[in-house]
Amino acid sequence: MAVQTWNAASLPSNDNVNPYAFSVDLDGRWFVQKGKMIAYYGQIRFESLSSGALDAFVAGAFNSPMYAGDWIVAEGRGKLLLADRGFDVNSFDLDEGNLTVRAGNLLAFEPGLELKQSIIPGFLTLIGTGRFVAASNGPVHFVEPPIRVDPQALLGWADCPSPCHHYDHSYMRGAFGAARMILGVGGASGEEHQFDFSGQGTVLMQSSEVVMNEDTLLRDLEGQISMVGTSGLQRLQSTIAQRLAAERQS
Amino acid sequence: MPGYQGINAKMLQVPVGPGHEVFSKRGAMLAYTGPVTFEPSATAGQGLGGALGRAVAGERSAMMHVRGQGTVLFGHGGLHVTVVDLSGADTLYVEADRLLVHDASLQVGTMFMGEQGGVRGMVRGAVTGQGLFTTTLSGHGSCGLLSHGGVMELPITPQRPVFVDPQAYVAHRGQVENRLAVSAGMRDLIGRGSGEAFQLQLSGSGVVYVQASERKI
């Protein structure tokens, strides 16, 4: 099998180079997640969102201070290659639409789109018109509601209402279930919790990703602490102290 | 009842209905439609004796009993999924970890490695990290196997035994005898070996499933 050699002119324009790499034909600005750029041709500068020079521009398209540290702006002309952990990379076009995607899997987007944090922790919502690039573990699978999806297998969703949590503990019912609960035998099915989608729209799925991005979850929690009052903070503190003590014992 | 349907290399769609229940690896459900329930299963389709055997053997990968009416998508950790259909004629030998999902209609058993190859079989179990026990599936039905990077199906004929790297071995079926072929020499002892000192020799008639990687699950 011959390996194709690319150059600045032959690299695809806004298309996949192979299933695992995407080539952006940059002329202007794109938002790119840190660490997802693997190579580039041409005159491209990478600026952090907080550099000051881009303040007005960033304020118009990037609406999530929590994630600002993870993103940079690529500015200039050239070909920009994006990839992520050998995951399948795909580009999607939005036309006056909205789509929510797992924060860690969004690689880049055009400034025509506006980025906001989703209500669901760890997800980002894109609104407007433009193109974005996202990575998935295995090819993306599109399904229609009503469907229940494992949180780790959820890549994102478009046009449908935000999901709600679904908990299934039906096997804990009945005499056998009571015995299971008291004796603690039999264990859990590992599938008690799903995201429940209903309404019109499309749900995007990937093959399960075992490693969750704990960092984004942590920052989501931190971001919500400001909503908790003094008594709540005290309760949180005692909960955390208990957890820490338990962790030290084990 | 339509059978298992591969959505892509890493995702499998399985219909569930009355009389068509399945057992699946714990935590391997990706999504489902319809009223489907997931119940932890201690026995995974075996009797109580079988469950004890499994516990002793360490071949106890937590399984769920999936029933109801609907469609379930399975996948695990971004690993490739291969569907194997069993027609009742032969038995599939597979490590419990690698079993993603199987029909409840299949008979599940645990086999002591010593039964296949005696002491050699036990040595093999210890070397391949497969344990001394392996899971067997027989009867009519389908199952989904996990592998890293997809599997190749290599036919085994009496004239043509197949040698497999123990780490790349996924499963096998048919009338197959396996033994561990050792080609270790002085060089291996001093750490200058080829790294391929042990091979699994499979002879008889059947099929062996080999993954395109040496990574274990």
Side-chain angles (χ1 to χ4, degrees):
Chain A
M1 197 168 70
V3 176
Q4 187 169 0
T5 308
W6 303 96
N7 62 36
S10 70
L11 268 173
S13 166
N14 289 331
D15 201 357
N16 277 69
V17 181
N18 62 36
Y20 314 110
F22 187 88
S23 167
V24 177
D25 193 358
L26 188 72
D27 185 9
R29 288 164 175 160
W30 268 64
F31 285 95
V32 182
Q33 192 175 155
K34 268 185 194 167
K36 309 299 185 194
M37 187 277 290
I38 54 168
Y40 70 90
Y41 272 113
Q43 302 296 315
I44 300 180
R45 288 186 311 282
F46 298 94
E47 308 248 7
S48 89
L49 295 192
S50 55
S51 66
L54 297 166
D55 261 357
F57 169 71
V58 168
F62 199 94
N63 208 320
S64 169
M66 195 191 295
Y67 289 96
D70 290 341
W71 287 78
I72 48 176
V73 176
E75 191 178 19
R77 287 177 68 98
K79 294 269 174 71
L80 182 65
L81 284 173
L82 303 167
D84 182 23
R85 294 169 282 175
F87 281 17
D88 285 53
V89 177
N90 285 295
S91 70
F92 302 87
D93 286 307
L94 279 183
D95 185 15
E96 289 299 316
N98 78 81
L99 184 138
T100 307
V101 63
R102 185 178 286 277
N105 289 36
L106 182 63
L107 301 190
F109 63 95
E110 271 181 331
L113 293 166
E114 194 179 342
L115 182 94
K116 293 174 194 289
Q117 266 166 246
S118 169
I119 296 284
I120 306 285
F123 285 82
L124 295 171
T125 303
L126 293 163
I127 301 170
T129 303
R131 175 169 288 194
F132 68 94
V133 182
S136 62
N137 189 347
V140 184
H141 180 49
F142 299 89
V143 286
E144 277 180 10
I147 191 163
R148 296 189 181 131
V149 183
D150 187 271
Q152 295 185 346
L154 181 63
L155 182 65
W157 63 92
D159 301 329
C160 47
S162 280
C164 43
H165 296 284
H166 175 85
Y167 293 93
D168 179 11
H169 282 290
S170 55
Y171 58 84
M172 288 292 190
R173 285 206 299 263
F176 199 66
R180 194 197 290 279
M181 209 173 337
I182 294 163
L183 299 173
V185 290
S189 73
E191 308 291 12
E192 289 83 10
H193 176 212
Q194 296 104 32
F195 286 149
D196 194 321
F197 286 91
S198 55
Q200 291 291 311
T202 311
V203 180
L204 285 69
M205 288 176 53
Q206 62 177 353
S207 179
S208 175
E209 183 186 352
V210 177
V211 190
M212 285 275 274
N213 195 342
E214 295 230 353
D215 192 40
T216 56
L217 183 67
L218 194 63
R219 267 182 286 164
D220 264 306
L221 286 174
E222 279 174 354
Q224 286 172 6
I225 276 187
S226 58
M227 296 185 233
V228 182
T230 317
S231 62
L233 283 174
Q234 279 163 352
R235 222 172 92 186
L236 264 182
Q237 196 173 30
S238 68
T239 314
I240 291 167
Q242 273 174 20
R243 277 282 313 184
L244 278 176
E247 289 284 320
R248 276 195 210 103
Q249 274 181 1
S250 60
Chain B
M1 181 65 86
Y4 292 15
Q5 190 192 344
I7 297 291
N8 57 46
K10 297 174 177 179
M11 242 184 244
L12 188 65
Q13 183 173 309
V14 177
V16 177
H20 193 264
E21 298 169 356
V22 299
F23 285 97
S24 80
K25 191 180 176 71
R26 181 177 155 184
M29 183 274 289
L30 299 181
Y32 68 90
T33 57
V36 179
T37 59
F38 299 86
E39 190 177 315
S41 165
T43 55
Q46 304 179 52
L48 200 59
L52 281 174
R54 271 156 56 89
V56 173
E59 271 291 292
R60 194 165 62 167
S61 203
M63 299 296 270
M64 302 179 294
H65 194 182
V66 185
R67 52 185 145 190
Q69 176 78 54
T71 310
V72 188
L73 287 168
F74 290 106
H76 184 71
L79 291 160
H80 285 239
V81 183
T82 311
V83 176
V84 175
D85 294 311
L86 292 173
S87 59
D90 41 301
T91 303
L92 183 79
Y93 298 83
V94 61
E95 214 177 332
D97 294 358
R98 292 203 181 266
L99 206 51
L100 176 70
V101 55
H102 67 83
D103 283 341
S105 60
L106 288 172
Q107 277 91 52
V108 190
T110 309
M111 198 199 64
F112 181 53
M113 267 301 173
E115 283 172 35
Q116 245 193 352
V119 179
R120 277 230 173 79
M122 291 169 68
V123 172
R124 181 208 136 180
V127 171
T128 57
Q130 224 191 336
L132 301 181
F133 294 83
T134 194
T135 298
T136 59
L137 292 174
S138 57
H140 276 273
S142 307
C143 65
L145 304 181
L146 290 170
S147 65
H148 186 244
V151 296
M152 295 165 276
E153 237 182 276
L154 301 178
I156 307 164
T157 55
Q159 297 80 34
R160 204 167 139 271
V162 177
F163 293 87
V164 182
D165 187 304
Q167 286 149 351
Y169 165 87
V170 173
H172 74 266
R173 62 195 279 186
Q175 297 298 315
V176 175
E177 213 167 275
N178 59 58
R179 71 179 194 90
L180 197 70
V182 183
S183 56
M186 270 310 286
R187 294 180 74 85
D188 290 279
L189 291 179
I190 57 170
R192 300 269 173 192
S194 62
E196 305 290 357
F198 297 99
Q199 293 106 30
L200 213 52
Q201 181 189 341
L202 299 143
S203 51
S205 57
V207 174
V208 59
Y209 299 90
V210 184
Q211 70 175 8
S213 160
E214 299 194 350
R215 194 193 292 180
K216 305 291 286 182
I217 288 182

